[in-house]
Amino acid sequence: MEYPLEGIRILEWGIFHAGPGGSAILGDLGAEVIKIEQRGKGDPIRYRSRFGRTSFDVAGGRNLFFEASNRNKKSIAIDLNKKKGREIVYRLIPQFDVFLTNLRRKTVEKMGMTYSMLSGLNPRLIYVSVSSYGPSGPDRDRGGFDFQGQARSGIMYSMGEPEMPPLVLHFGLIDQATAIVVSQAILAALCMRERTGEGQEIQTSILGAALHLAYCNFLNALWLHQDVSRHHHIDTDPTRNYYRCEDGKWFAITLQPDGDWSRLCQAIGQPELESDSKFDTLQKRAEEHSGELVSLLEQVFVTKTREEWLEAFRQYDLFASPVNRPTELEDDPQVRENYLDEIDHPSLGRIKMPGFPVHFSQARAGTRKAAPQLGENSEEILREFGGYNEDEIAQLKEEEVV
């Protein structure tokens, strides 16, 4: 078996990233993912090429975010407003292990795509529903995006300096966290089905994923009834901080309590600091004289380039790393060695992709193909999974069902 999930089939009826991103992850692991799109329209994210002032168009009339959410997939375009369109889904369902949707409840019910309906056609089906705020409560039917997940979960007050307003974390990180939660839930349900033979319904949400991502902050609020302290660069632990260097680049450093302070003083050529009465205990460094020590270290670190400092820290085995811009990641040797894939793209040629974050000793994982064009695989899917013959397919096309 080349990929861990070879043989697993997922039928997705989803839009944007929270949800579809989860089946894309399982596609990285080898699952076969079929994406249902509305005939003539497709997933709205196909055409959402601009967020704020930034364009995400790529060559060939493609869109970067659709590519990210729908890698490894095949597309079938169906007019689900027509009875024959919905019947196609009912005919496909027995051939699939998982059905995933993040359409709102009223749409799912209107189109007859509920768990009770589809599980009646396939009792072993794992049915996944992704909402904005969860399956219960006053806002269970309200819509929302990544932005609302950041806002409602408290994450926007967990970044930046204390005096700053709420900050937005760009881009799509909560949607991606939701995708990861979705993929984990599906894997758990598949594992359970292996033992019990039973399918089940799974419900998760953007808010649930955001709260899970901020688990320690949430727990801090529940147990200690306080907001997490926002990082205050000039008035916090100087040895868990970030600093600017001579070349304008930044690094982040975290010292361990035992022995690291001594090694840092040696690494920066300031051995006298170790015995300085203002800095000779952790409490003095992190609390009583933290502002003074941050200012002192700022003056030291601005005298050399970032790479010079990182090399010095390596020699003394101190935990430090560059503060990378996203555009610097491709040139980071650690990222390049472990977390980059390459695929042949129909419009862009041979290109790099973010690599899968896990390495398997007996299997592979990672992006295998680019996102599909709208309805690119419709006829193939109808034949292979629906058992439609050529005359039936021709009739569906003539009636504009597919």
Side-chain angles (χ1 to χ4, degrees):
M1 182 179 291
E2 189 175 10
Y3 289 87
L5 294 186
E6 282 184 17
I8 296 297
R9 295 172 177 170
I10 300 171
L11 189 61
E12 172 205 302
W13 181 38
I15 57 176
F16 297 102
H17 190 78
S23 53
I25 291 171
L26 299 181
D28 287 338
L29 290 167
E32 185 168 13
V33 185
I34 307 301
K35 182 180 182 71
I36 301 170
E37 298 187 76
Q38 182 65 24
R39 185 184 184 280
K41 295 181 179 180
D43 186 335
I45 203 173
R46 280 186 180 275
Y47 317 106
R48 183 71 185 271
S49 61
R50 183 173 292 276
F51 290 84
R53 297 180 181 274
T54 305
S55 171
F56 298 104
D57 285 331
V58 295
R62 291 171 176 260
N63 172 278
L64 183 142
F65 282 106
F66 183 82
E67 295 284 318
S69 304
N70 296 285
R71 63 191 188 274
N72 305 314
K73 300 179 185 178
K74 297 177 180 179
S75 169
I76 180 171
I78 308 172
D79 187 347
L80 292 175
N81 293 306
K82 296 178 178 177
K83 182 181 178 182
K84 282 192 175 181
R86 297 190 291 276
E87 287 174 351
I88 291 173
V89 179
Y90 300 155
R91 196 155 156 178
L92 296 177
I93 277 293
Q95 307 302 318
F96 285 81
D97 300 284
V98 178
F99 178 84
L100 184 153
T101 185
N102 65 342
L103 278 294
R104 294 167 73 177
R105 187 193 310 265
K106 60 183 179 182
T107 301
V108 171
E109 292 176 350
K110 176 184 176 182
M111 293 300 180
M113 299 295 172
T114 60
Y115 173 63
S116 60
M117 179 65 190
L118 299 188
S119 64
L121 301 170
N122 181 357
R124 287 172 53 84
L125 184 70
I126 294 163
Y127 182 104
V128 187
S129 176
V130 184
S131 63
S132 297
Y133 300 116
S136 303
D139 293 331
R140 70 175 191 164
D141 291 323
R142 297 196 67 186
F145 290 103
D146 177 283
F147 205 95
Q148 283 70 46
Q150 292 191 43
R152 197 155 189 175
S153 66
I155 285 176
M156 289 175 68
Y157 273 113
S158 302
M159 299 179 290
E161 299 278 331
E163 69 277 5
M164 291 181 176
L167 296 180
V168 177
L169 186 62
H170 272 169
F171 194 89
L173 273 78
I174 303 306
D175 277 352
Q176 179 65 5
T178 307
I180 294 169
V181 168
V182 166
S183 67
Q184 181 188 45
I186 291 172
L187 290 172
L190 286 169
C191 182
M192 183 174 175
R193 194 184 68 177
E194 285 295 303
R195 300 197 312 275
T196 67
E198 296 179 349
Q200 63 179 299
E201 183 179 13
I202 296 171
Q203 300 183 66
T204 189
S205 69
I206 294 172
L207 176 60
L211 291 169
H212 201 54
L213 184 65
Y215 186 95
C216 291
N217 292 0
F218 192 13
L219 187 64
N220 172 65
L222 291 172
W223 286 14
L224 303 179
H225 308 291
Q226 61 185 10
D227 291 328
V228 64
S229 298
R230 299 174 86 177
H231 188 90
H232 194 188
H233 171 74
I234 195 64
D235 186 25
T236 192
D237 183 350
T239 60
R240 181 185 175 273
N241 220 327
Y242 53 92
Y243 294 94
R244 187 174 183 273
C245 303
E246 183 183 43
D247 53 5
K249 297 181 178 181
W250 298 74
F251 68 83
I253 190 167
T254 303
L255 298 192
Q256 300 179 86
D258 298 327
D260 277 9
W261 170 242
S262 174
R263 293 201 299 277
L264 177 67
C265 294
Q266 298 295 322
I268 66 176
Q270 305 278 332
E272 68 280 1
L273 285 179
E274 182 181 358
S275 56
D276 189 313
S277 61
K278 290 183 291 187
F279 309 130
D280 59 3
T281 69
L282 179 60
Q283 181 176 346
K284 291 178 181 178
R285 294 192 295 272
E287 298 180 26
E288 296 173 19
H289 300 288
S290 61
E292 184 178 350
L293 183 53
V294 169
S295 296
L296 190 156
L297 292 174
E298 285 180 328
Q299 295 173 35
V300 171
F301 291 133
V302 81
T303 63
K304 293 183 180 180
T305 66
R306 179 172 71 184
E307 189 50 45
E308 288 177 303
W309 285 122
L310 291 176
E311 179 56 34
F313 299 149
R314 278 191 285 268
Q315 292 178 14
Y316 285 88
D317 195 26
L318 298 171
F319 294 180
S321 75
V323 178
N324 281 330
R325 293 179 178 272
T327 48
E328 295 177 299
L329 294 174
E330 183 180 346
D331 297 321
D332 185 311
Q334 201 64 23
V335 174
R336 190 169 60 244
E337 182 71 21
N338 292 281
Y339 303 114
L340 283 182
D341 280 345
E342 287 191 356
I343 64 167
D344 291 313
H345 191 280
S347 299
L348 303 175
R350 190 73 176 169
I351 58 166
K352 295 181 175 65
M353 296 285 291
F356 200 77
V358 179
H359 297 82
F360 297 87
S361 67
Q362 303 298 322
R364 297 176 57 192
T367 303
R368 294 170 288 142
K369 66 181 290 293
Q373 298 283 43
L374 176 60
E376 178 181 330
N377 313 104
S378 294
E379 293 186 32
E380 169 194 347
I381 293 163
L382 289 171
R383 280 192 297 267
E384 182 177 350
F385 299 109
Y388 288 85
N389 61 40
E390 297 304 320
D391 290 340
E392 289 175 313
I393 293 172
Q395 183 66 29
L396 289 171
K397 291 172 69 175
E398 183 178 338
E399 296 177 12
E400 297 185 344
V401 176
V402 297

